[in-house]
Amino acid sequence: QVQLVESGGGLVQAGASLRLSCAASGGIVSDYTMAWFRQTSGKEREFVSALRRYGGHTYYADSVKGRFTISRDTAKNMVYLQMNSLKPEDTAVYYCAAASGMILSSIRNGPQYGYWGQGTQVTVSS
């Protein structure tokens, strides 16, 4: 089973950039569909971005498209989320997730992912 550990969160001002990292162990990131989700208090977990294991196709929520970029480094067994032009509404706990199988039409659905990290807090001040 793959274990995931996120890092890179923090407190930044609006307009700044952050790069979140997800370190994987017990599995190879290129064998999984990898994704980032986020959640704020009192709200449901929200899809942010995904990277398919085959072909490397990427998917983004409309709210982050053009600002966030998901990538993976197979040599380091890491997945990243580069976040630019951050907005206060990006404030959330960000979770890395992995799925060994995936129904493509459901790639944005959290229950499709069987492995989750513990999350990293991102706070964007106005």
Side-chain angles (χ1 to χ4, degrees), residues 64-116:
V64 308
K65 198 172 296 183
R67 299 188 298 122
F68 290 12
T69 303
I70 189 171
S71 63
R72 67 185 172 206
D73 185 331
T74 54
K76 296 182 178 179
N77 214 29
M78 300 279 289
V79 175
Y80 304 101
L81 185 68
Q82 177 67 43
M83 306 187 295
N84 299 328
S85 302
L86 282 162
K87 304 176 181 180
E89 50 264 43
D90 294 319
T91 295
V93 177
Y94 283 71
Y95 297 92
C96 179
S100 56
M102 177 57 62
I103 300 172
L104 189 55
S105 61
S106 299
I107 200 168
R108 291 173 172 81
N109 295 345
Q112 292 293 315
Y113 296 84
Y115 308 98
W116 294 83

